[in-house]
Amino acid sequence: MLRTESLAKTFTLHLRGGMQLAVLAGIDLEVQAGQCVVLSGPSGAGKSTLMRSLYGNYRAEAGRILVRHGDEMIDIARAEPRVVLAVRHATLGYVSQFLRVVPRVSTLDIVAEPLASRGIAVDAARAQAAALLLRLNIPRRLHGIPPATFSGGEQQRVNLARGFIAAHPILLLDEPTASLDAENSAVVVSMIAEAKACGTAIIAICHDAAVRDAIADRLFPLTPIREAA
Amino acid sequence: MTEGYNFAYLDEQTKRMIRRALLKAVAIPGHQVPFGSREMPLPYGWGTGGIQVTASILGAEDVLKVIDQGADDTTNAVSIRRFFARTAGVATTTKTAEATVIQTRHRIPEKALREDQIIVYQVPQPEPLFRLEPSRVETRRMHGLADYGLMHVKLYEDIARFGQISIAYDYPVLVNQRYLMSPSPIPAFDNPKLDRMPALQLFGAGREKRIYAVPPWTSVQSLDFDDHPFRAINAPHPCGLCGATDSFLDEVVTDDQGGRLFVCSDTDHCAERRDGGHVGTEGVA
Amino acid sequence: MTLISGRGLRLRFGSIPALVDVDIDLWPGEVLAIVGESGSGKTTLLNVLSGRQAPDAGTVVYTDPQGQPHDVHTMPAPVLRTLHRSDWGFVHQDPRQSLRMNVSAGGNVGERLMARGARHYDHIRAQAIDWLEQVEIDADRVDDLPRTFSGGMLQRLQIARTLVTHPRLVFMDEPTGGLDVSVQARLLDLIRTLVARLGIAAVLVTHDIAVARLLAHRIAVMQRGRIVETGLTDQVLDDPQHAYTQLLVSSVLQA
């Protein structure tokens, strides 16, 4: 479903006199349908950078990121912006650590939006969104409120609901259970298991050993690059 | 004829210049053509544009009728008629049917005009978009591109505010399905007469230095909405003197007790009907 | 096929280069933000793309719904004007520039319909009311003059007036500039929703990176008349490549 070939990422900090910061080099990662690969390694090994590069959020300057989008393989690292957007829309989902949404929009509509944007009737999309939120223990009385005032854990669960609702064939999860208690972590673990059973390819970053063991089919170890210069 | 003036007061060069503007105006129905308006021996607003047009088209054989708000006997009409009688020596009349040239301020005669007649309108403000768009550059562009949505905005505003289009006179028209035109301050009641009129219609604005024209048998449509069609407004009475129910009426206050009388604004039309034996409620047989 | 595309655009104001070899494309349904500091040429580029200002060199080509290309700067003035009042829309920073302040809200919204030939009062009025509601203005304000409206309402009225003809392409010049922060958020949400729902393509000029992040699919960063970087909005903002973009992004205060 997703494969990288010799992927490399170096940041050039022009405001620091053009300092070069190599974070990723020679990454060859492959994930099959129904498989969950967890990126592992110490802080600064480039797990988040790899994740963001896979999503097209960071620009990979060398190597390829091949994603199965419908019947084609798209190279995210080289694709036109609108192609990347189409891939994100239909194929590639991303659940970041932090919720970043428009102010003033209700929680229910934030979660329903990925479905509504695919042309699903608003009522049906909202019904699905409500069910998913309830499963993640977000009570109905919060559905009508924008999530800006929610606790960290609540925001993360809203974010997860938004990420899972569209059933993307490939899902990127950045610390999906970091701010969750054991009960909610268990819900997320079961949701991941269900997604895998439906053939979703998942790439995750996960520091919680118990959760990692529960979801990972395979670990993909990353090590920090030693600065040459 | 008074000695010392050129025929019909204006010099021949000026008349030629005005005729050229008239030809252009006839060629582009409804389009405002600039011309070198001259000083006339009467103030702006008294019909200087109409007089210059009349002077330019008048021939020795013409018979001239002049009306002011439909009347042949008001100061303005009498003065202009006498002016041309003196400076051109032409015959004058008050009878619509006998005239070959009719100069008018703010009315069209009730009797249908013929192909061998010309009607000359006095125009104070030739630009129909004048009150809506202050820039002349912009109104010219709007005419050039036939971009007349703004005029309909004005009609829309009327209906939104008053429930109907409240323009009682100088009601905007579209000439030959192309140019938006001010018909001069004639009552909206007269607008239907503009459409496919057999007579040539000429419009002169002296202060604004513009001439425009509607050739015979040209389509002239009053702007409206499909669900608020144009309606000619008139007082709901018959003429008090001749009993006519199809002519435009003036309201005349007869005393200080609230007494009033509605009479034909077209004095010639009213007189002709009374001569024919028609009598209204206030008339004398 | 691109909706509008500029090639080799150049323009100088005296000795000041306003546009230097600018190439730019906009695809149907895409929102493109042009960001950069004051004087970087953003608004000039918007004016050149929309045919309001002729470039010294270069072409702007618009592809109509039938797939026919038209050179914006050589097309006859009536055609350009027709485009501007039907297929295109322009949202100014100051709504007073495009609104008619002595015409009711309903008349303002209805004008583009009437300019396009709508001649049924009740239909025009119904559409005007529908659009007032879409931009969250009470229907009973339809006959009020814009001068009784607040700044945020004026901007929303301008948006209703622009979108009533369902344009395919809208040019926006700092649409949220000069508004209170709370009013801005509401307006941004409104623009985002309407643009997405109607599938409108937009070129949005803004100096506010947060506005660009919220509304745009793609960003072009301008500096001294050049586009120095362009790409996916989140990529350009989260992983800026050009020195100027890095400066711009790092200069934003975090709320």
Side-chain angles (χ1 to χ4, degrees):
Chain A
M1 294 299 289
L2 183 147
R3 188 172 82 238
T4 69
E5 294 170 354
S6 315
L7 181 65
K9 175 66 192 164
T10 303
F11 291 100
T12 306
L13 305 180
H14 293 286
L15 305 181
R16 294 280 177 276
M19 192 172 105
Q20 301 269 319
L21 208 61
V23 179
L24 301 174
I27 302 289
D28 296 301
L29 167 68
E30 182 159 9
V31 187
Q32 307 291 340
Q35 202 179 39
C36 175
V37 175
V38 173
L39 309 181
S40 66
S43 260
K47 299 187 296 293
S48 281
T49 300
L50 174 56
M51 192 77 111
R52 284 166 169 256
S53 301
L54 296 179
Y55 192 59
N57 181 221
Y58 284 176
R59 191 179 307 193
E61 70 272 4
R64 305 210 292 168
I65 303 167
L66 297 170
V67 170
R68 172 162 297 284
H69 175 57
D71 298 332
E72 309 173 77
M73 292 302 279
I74 304 283
D75 182 2
I76 292 289
R78 299 287 165 267
E80 289 281 317
R82 66 206 160 81
V83 175
V84 176
L85 287 175
V87 170
R88 287 179 180 180
H89 184 72
T91 304
L92 190 60
Y94 177 52
V95 179
S96 62
Q97 286 190 60
F98 303 104
L99 186 61
R100 187 181 230 162
V101 288
V102 191
R104 228 170 60 96
V105 181
S106 76
T107 298
L108 192 63
D109 284 344
I110 286 173
V111 175
E113 199 257 351
L115 285 184
S117 75
R118 294 180 178 193
I120 292 172
V122 174
D123 287 346
R126 283 187 179 153
Q128 273 198 54
L132 200 50
L133 284 166
L134 289 173
R135 185 173 178 194
L136 284 158
N137 299 311
I138 305 284
R140 216 173 262 283
R141 64 186 164 79
L142 295 181
H143 292 189
I145 306 171
T149 55
F150 290 8
S151 73
E154 284 166 339
Q155 291 200 7
Q156 184 164 32
R157 280 176 278 151
V158 172
N159 212 8
L160 282 161
R162 182 178 157 89
F164 273 88
I165 197 166
H168 288 108
I170 307 171
L171 211 46
L172 309 175
L173 304 175
D174 192 353
E175 296 283 9
T177 60
S179 341
L180 302 186
D181 57 23
E183 188 195 345
N184 284 311
S185 290
V187 174
V188 174
V189 167
S190 65
M191 280 168 61
I192 291 173
E194 284 165 30
K196 279 163 63 178
C198 296
T200 306
I202 295 174
I203 298 163
I205 299 171
C206 187
H207 282 112
D208 184 319
V211 173
R212 184 169 61 206
D213 293 345
I215 62 172
D217 294 301
R218 186 156 67 81
L219 295 184
F220 185 83
L222 286 163
T223 46
I225 295 174
R226 295 212 66 81
E227 286 302 318
Chain B
M1 187 159 73
T2 310
E3 293 297 312
Y5 289 112
N6 190 34
F7 179 78
Y9 184 77
L10 288 176
D11 62 274
E12 292 305 312
Q13 288 297 341
T14 298
K15 286 197 276 188
R16 237 176 302 209
M17 174 270 292
I18 293 174
R19 286 177 200 139
R20 278 196 294 271
L22 285 170
L23 283 174
K24 183 169 176 181
V26 169
I28 315 171
H31 172 61
Q32 299 167 44
V33 180
F35 79 109
S37 182
R38 298 292 189 252
E39 292 290 330
M40 296 302 285
L42 76 169
Y44 286 136
W46 287 53
T48 52
I51 286 187
Q52 290 179 79
V53 170
T54 300
S56 305
I57 60 169
L58 219 49
E61 307 302 314
D62 273 315
V63 180
L64 178 68
K65 169 181 164 81
V66 182
I67 50 175
D68 175 4
Q69 308 260 27
D72 293 276
D73 54 2
T74 53
T75 315
N76 200 237
V78 171
S79 307
I80 293 173
R81 203 161 53 228
R82 193 179 295 157
F83 175 79
F84 282 115
R86 284 200 185 155
T87 59
V90 293
T92 61
T93 180
T94 60
K95 299 237 175 298
T96 302
E98 288 173 7
T100 58
V101 175
I102 301 168
Q103 179 171 334
T104 174
R105 173 173 177 270
H106 308 358
R107 264 321 300 279
I108 298 174
E110 302 294 354
K111 185 184 282 292
L113 301 183
R114 303 182 310 263
E115 275 185 341
D116 60 345
Q117 295 177 306
I118 299 175
I119 180 165
V120 177
Y121 297 80
Q122 298 171 202
V123 180
Q125 176 49 257
E127 179 49 70
L129 297 163
F130 168 63
R131 289 194 186 286
L132 305 170
E133 173 55 61
S135 159
R136 281 302 158 94
V137 174
E138 181 60 18
T139 56
R140 269 205 290 275
R141 191 177 297 140
M142 291 160 89
H143 283 297
L145 303 176
D147 187 358
Y148 296 136
L150 183 58
M151 195 73 236
H152 269 92
V153 171
K154 152 75 178 147
L155 304 186
Y156 170 94
E157 292 287 283
D158 267 8
I159 301 173
R161 223 171 281 170
F162 310 115
Q164 59 181 12
I165 299 171
S166 66
I167 307 171
Y169 61 90
D170 205 354
Y171 192 107
V173 293
L174 195 66
V175 178
N176 202 24
Q177 278 137 44
R178 175 58 184 83
Y179 280 97
L180 182 69
M181 186 186 91
S182 153
S184 86
I186 58 171
F189 176 87
D190 281 343
N191 269 28
K193 296 176 189 160
L194 296 161
D195 183 35
R196 300 184 53 76
M197 184 193 277
L200 171 62
Q201 308 179 66
L202 304 176
F203 298 78
R207 183 188 57 215
E208 303 293 330
K209 303 176 174 52
R210 292 289 184 279
I211 281 171
Y212 51 100
V214 177
W217 303 108
T218 304
S219 148
V220 179
Q221 296 304 320
S222 305
L223 298 193
D224 60 5
F225 288 102
D226 297 345
D227 50 342
H228 286 266
F230 169 83
R231 280 186 311 127
I233 307 158
N234 199 5
H237 303 278
C239 169
L241 298 178
C242 76
T245 54
D246 57 353
S247 74
F248 189 68
L249 300 174
D250 282 341
E251 183 180 359
V252 181
V253 175
T254 50
D255 54 34
D256 57 2
Q257 310 298 310
R260 47 189 196 155
L261 177 65
F262 288 93
V263 296
C264 289
S265 128
D266 185 337
T267 51
D268 171 57
H269 179 70
C270 197
E272 191 178 303
R273 280 178 54 84
R274 276 180 282 144
D275 289 347
H278 295 279
V279 184
T281 51
E282 311 289 324
V284 215
Chain C
M1 194 141 26
T2 58
L3 189 57
I4 195 161
S5 102
R7 283 289 171 275
L9 296 174
R10 276 185 205 206
L11 182 62
R12 296 184 75 87
F13 295 120
S15 62
I16 304 156
L19 295 178
V20 184
D21 298 328
V22 170
D23 293 337
I24 195 161
D25 288 315
L26 185 75
W27 297 82
E30 184 182 50
V31 178
L32 169 69
I34 304 173
V35 301
E37 60 198 10
S38 301
S40 58
K42 306 187 296 287
T43 298
T44 304
L45 178 54
L46 195 70
N47 287 335
V48 167
L49 285 177
S50 60
R52 292 153 55 94
Q53 160 103 46
D56 293 339
T59 57
V60 177
V61 173
Y62 167 70
T63 308
D64 70 17
Q66 285 74 43
Q68 293 300 310
H70 301 273
D71 186 326
V72 169
H73 290 285
T74 59
M75 70 169 65
V79 178
L80 183 63
R81 196 170 170 107
T82 305
L83 267 184
H84 265 290
R85 69 185 186 202
S86 53
D87 276 12
W88 292 5
F90 206 109
V91 175
H92 297 268
Q93 175 173 3
D94 180 2
R96 291 169 191 82
Q97 254 185 285
S98 82
L99 292 173
R100 296 190 186 278
M101 299 305 280
N102 54 356
V103 167
S104 70
N108 266 293
V109 177
E111 180 173 354
R112 271 167 74 100
L113 296 172
M114 291 183 252
R116 223 171 47 166
R119 293 293 179 263
H120 193 286
Y121 173 83
D122 283 347
H123 294 175
I124 294 165
R125 189 171 175 82
Q127 284 193 63
I129 288 174
D130 177 46
W131 269 97
L132 289 181
E133 285 173 342
Q134 291 204 45
V135 299
E136 302 170 18
I137 295 174
D138 277 345
D140 57 14
R141 303 296 301 268
V142 65
D143 294 329
D144 291 354
L145 292 180
R147 75 168 69 100
T148 64
F149 286 13
S150 69
M153 282 173 79
L154 285 178
Q155 193 56 283
R156 280 180 275 135
L157 181 60
Q158 185 189 198
I159 287 167
R161 173 182 162 88
T162 308
L163 298 190
V164 67
T165 52
H166 292 276
R168 305 168 69 212
L169 170 59
V170 177
F171 301 94
M172 297 192 221
D173 191 3
E174 302 274 10
T176 60
L179 296 176
D180 290 346
V181 179
S182 59
V183 178
Q184 253 192 37
R186 184 177 179 192
L187 187 67
L188 285 173
D189 177 34
L190 184 77
I191 295 176
R192 194 186 60 97
T193 312
L194 289 175
V195 165
R197 183 156 52 80
L198 302 172
I200 294 169
V203 184
L204 164 78
V205 159
T206 180
H207 66 271
D208 188 338
I209 285 178
V211 168
R213 188 188 281 277
L214 210 53
L215 295 181
H217 299 123
R218 207 153 56 83
I219 276 190
V221 182
M222 288 194 77
Q223 182 193 24
R224 284 187 236 111
R226 289 177 195 275
I227 292 183
V228 295
E229 182 166 358
T230 172
L232 267 179
T233 300
D234 60 286
Q235 193 180 75
V236 170
L237 297 183
D238 293 340
D239 184 17
Q241 308 289 315
H242 191 272
Y244 178 70
T245 317
Q246 292 188 357
L247 178 68
L248 206 62
V249 171
S250 66
S251 308
V252 176
L253 293 175
Q254 296 290 330

